[in-house]
């Protein structure tokens, strides 16, 4: 079961993912204005694949009632697209073409394998469903898309809830979501989470077998069930985002993609569940954190292991104003709704940071109030640590230092980094240096270690001057 | 519809009050479990129900050789063993999990839900 409390963002000390080149196959966000340059046909198919794979698998899963069959059918359809589209041109509704072709391929496949009666029956059933949603023509599917409502979107939401069912382990939920809805390959997911490809393939196979054998339903939970079932869905999306933003260890080229993928999934959820404030809050939170990506990287070290710039030291001109405006608007709408939750509160905290033209102008009192609310809504040691950081800004580090001692976070490197920072400000450099060294021992990624080493060096230089 | 086993996990050794600490606790769980099972039967989702004697009453049989070998059980050393189970009919896992939650509340034990091997 996924923890009920999403980890609060330890913003001021949190290092970013090292600089990454966007992978060439990654499509631009549909909402991003500058249109991509005309792509060659195979790149166009790759783009359609990445953008439409989840939709196609979701629709076919409903039609076929089996994720494995759906994946095979969609794969067949893309193989057909690679053969056809370069000569015949991309069809007007690529998604519609893929889904219709996949459905037809599934019928063929079932017929071919129809050694048994039930396969015959299933193929006949699929064909008989001619007029239903199962047999939507590309035009119908296009209409569905244009009207923004209808079974296609519902299918993706259903698939999301299936992938994030609490009966599945968290790492399986994450892998399934990225594979089935994100359209990432098994190899890409394995690279992103630093596990061997065979391990990731096995994890996916087992999870899909469990969905089939235990009959995990393909359905959006309703009523009283929904809040509890939405929790792991949001947690999986945020986990994907955090893994890209602050890799737990090492670094890989796919990491930056994980942030974009999480935001894409967040946008999809926000569009499909407009009345769920926590869904909107999660999207706002990710957008506001993402808006600072460029400023979090030390320009002198961008090619290296990723120097980290603290929030206080960031060049705020590098912040992405578009993402900030979008995130803040979502936060305002959440405030008007007045049904706060952990994601919304964390988004609001980030919105306050985004409001400040300079670090010194940050409204720390407001941030402290929001952390108080966050701790009420979702008590947890990491949120308490972040609250202490805000408290130190409001009234000085003395009481804050005392507060963080009893949090039980001794194994968490950021606790020691925060402690070190407080001790520096209290004029206790030896203790600060010891705390930085403890943090260094516990830090997982190269970027985090690089950051802590630079702090330790700075401390020594300061000590020598004094 | 599919069948699921709702397996109740309990301690390795039973005492005076079955696998429960006090007479009151045992009486309360027996009553609640009875009500729950009656409801399953009424809804038509009950296939089978029973409790098991404590694990030390087990005997392990290996009949694969020419002469069967009987040894004192249970087969695996564990802190907890299956103390009883329901076999239920349910449309999908969510429905089975809802039933299991009711059963767990009634008998005051954790319940493991496992689907029967498929068609």
């Amino acid at each position: 079961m996924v923890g009920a409390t999403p980890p609060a963002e330890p913003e001021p000390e949190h290092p970013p993912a090292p600089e990454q080149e966007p992978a060439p196959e990654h499509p631009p966000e549909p909402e991003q204005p500058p249109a991509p340059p005309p792509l060659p046909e195979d790149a166009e198919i790759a783009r359609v694949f990445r953008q439409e794979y989840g939709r196609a698998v979701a629709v076919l899963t409903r039609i076929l009632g089996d994720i494995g069959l759906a994946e095979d059918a969609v794969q067949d359809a893309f193989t057909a697209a690679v053969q056809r589209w370069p000569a015949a041109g991309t069809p007007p509704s690529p998604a519609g073409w893929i889904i219709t072709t996949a459905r037809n391929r599934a019928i063929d496949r079932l017929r071919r394998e129809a050694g048994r009666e039930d396969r015959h029956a299933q193929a006949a059933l699929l064909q008989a469903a001619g007029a239903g949603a199962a047999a939507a023509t590309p035009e119908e599917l296009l209409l569905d898309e244009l009207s923004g409502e209808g079974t296609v979107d519902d299918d993706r939401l259903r698939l999301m809830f299936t992938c994030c069912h609490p009966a599945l382990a968290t790492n399986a939920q994450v892998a399934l979501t990225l594979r089935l809805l994100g359209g990432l390959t098994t190899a890409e997911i394995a690279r992103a989470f630093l596990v061997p490809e065979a391990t990731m393939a096995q994890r996916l196979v087992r999870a899909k077998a469990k969905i089939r054998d235990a009959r995990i339903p393909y359905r959006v939970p309703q009523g009283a069930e929904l809040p509890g079932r939405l929790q792991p869905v949001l947690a999986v999306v945020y986990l994907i985002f955090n893994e890209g933003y602050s890799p737990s260890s090492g670094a890989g080229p796919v990491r930056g993609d994980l942030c974009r993928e999480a935001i894409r999934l967040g946008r999809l959820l926000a569009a499909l569940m407009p009345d769920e404030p926590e869904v909107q809050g999660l999207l706002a939170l990710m957008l506001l954190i993402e808006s600072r990506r460029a400023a979090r990287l030390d320009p002198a070290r961008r090619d290296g292991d990723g120097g980290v710039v603290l929030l206080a030291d960031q060049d705020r001109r590098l912040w992405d104003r578009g993402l900030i405006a979008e995130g803040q608007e979502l936060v305002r709408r959440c405030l008007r709704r007045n049904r706060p939750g952990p994601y919304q509160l964390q988004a609001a905290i980030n919105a306050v940071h985004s409001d400040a033209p300079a670090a010194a102008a940050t409204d720390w009192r407001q941030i402290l109030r929001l952390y108080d609310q966050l701790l009420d809504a979702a008590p947890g040691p990491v949120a308490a640590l972040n609250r202490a950081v805000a408290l130190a800004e409001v009234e000085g580090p003395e009481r804050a230092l005392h507060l963080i001692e009893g949090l039980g976070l001794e194994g968490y490197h950021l606790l020691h980094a925060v402690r070190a920072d407080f001790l520096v400000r209290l004029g206790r450099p030896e203790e600060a240096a010891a705390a930085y060294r403890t943090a260094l021992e516990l830090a997982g990624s190269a970027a985090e270690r690089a950051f802590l080493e630079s702090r330790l060096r700075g401390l020594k230089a300061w000590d020598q001057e004094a | 519809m599919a069948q699921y086993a709702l397996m109740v996990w309990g301690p390795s050794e039973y005492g005076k009050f079955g696998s429960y600490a006090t007479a009151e606790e045992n009486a309360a769980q027996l009553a609640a479990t009875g009500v729950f099972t009656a409801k399953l039967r009424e809804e038509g989702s009950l296939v089978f129900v029973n409790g098991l004697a404590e694990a030390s009453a087990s005997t392990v049989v290996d009949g694969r050789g020419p002469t069967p070998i009987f040894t004192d059980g249970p087969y695996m050393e564990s802190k907890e063993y299956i103390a009883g189970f329901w076999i239920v009919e349910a449309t999908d896992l969510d429905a089975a999990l809802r039933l299991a939650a009711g059963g767990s509340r009634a008998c005051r034990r954790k319940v493991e839900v496992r689907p029967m091997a498929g068609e």
Side-chain angles (χ1 to χ4, degrees), chain A residues 34-54:
Chain A
L39 296 158
E41 281 300 332
D42 51 346
E44 169 70 8
I45 294 170
R47 191 187 64 78
V48 172
F49 181 88
R50 196 60 185 273
Q51 205 152 297
E52 307 295 354
Y53 184 84

Side-chain angles (χ1 to χ4, degrees), chain A residues 217-297:
Chain A
Y218 184 57
R219 179 174 61 223
V220 177
Q222 300 296 321
E225 240 188 327
L226 181 62
R229 291 286 310 278
L230 187 55
Q231 194 53 57
V233 174
L234 299 180
V236 160
V237 173
Y238 195 44
L239 212 143
I240 292 169
F241 183 82
N242 270 326
E243 194 59 28
Y245 162 74
S246 167
S248 47
S249 61
V254 192
R255 302 271 181 163
D257 271 7
L258 287 180
C259 286
R260 250 164 305 174
E261 195 53 50
I263 289 177
R264 195 161 78 107
L265 290 167
R267 285 189 195 284
L268 177 64
L269 272 179
L272 297 179
M273 308 190 86
D275 297 326
E276 288 297 324
E278 280 291 87
V279 175
Q280 310 297 320
L282 172 62
L283 176 59
L285 174 61
M286 293 191 296
L287 292 171
L288 290 168
I289 295 173
E290 182 69 7
S291 75
R292 298 196 285 270
R293 174 178 290 277
R296 274 202 306 265
L297 300 164

Side-chain angles (χ1 to χ4, degrees), chain A residues 153-219:
Chain A
D153 283 346
D154 290 348
D155 285 336
R156 278 189 295 180
L157 197 56
R158 271 196 281 271
L159 188 56
M160 199 102 119
F161 277 98
T162 304
C163 290
C164 300
H165 196 281
L168 298 166
T170 304
N171 62 16
Q173 295 173 347
V174 168
L176 278 175
T177 302
L178 286 172
R179 178 78 195 94
L180 298 178
L181 285 145
L184 269 69
T185 63
T186 304
E188 284 172 322
I189 304 167
R191 264 206 307 284
F193 288 90
L194 303 170
V195 300
E197 191 178 337
T199 307
M200 186 55 76
Q202 185 65 255
R203 189 178 293 173
L204 283 163
V205 166
R206 285 217 185 102
K208 282 185 264 185
K210 179 160 189 185
I211 290 174
R212 191 189 55 235
D213 296 342
R215 294 201 185 201
I216 291 179
Y218 184 57
R219 179 174 61 223

Side-chain angles (χ1 to χ4, degrees), chain A residues 56 59-64 69-70 72-78 95-111 122-138 140-141:
Chain A
V59 173
L60 267 293
T61 299
R62 170 171 48 78
I63 298 172
L64 301 170
L69 289 177
D72 289 345
V74 172
Q75 200 61 54
D76 284 353
F78 275 101
W97 190 96
I98 291 290
I99 291 169
T100 308
T101 306
R103 188 188 65 91
N104 293 337
R105 295 291 159 126
I107 293 174
D108 291 348
R109 205 183 260 263
L110 288 170
R111 282 226 184 91
Q122 208 177 345
L125 195 74
L126 275 176
Q127 235 174 8
T137 63
E140 283 167 334
L141 286 163

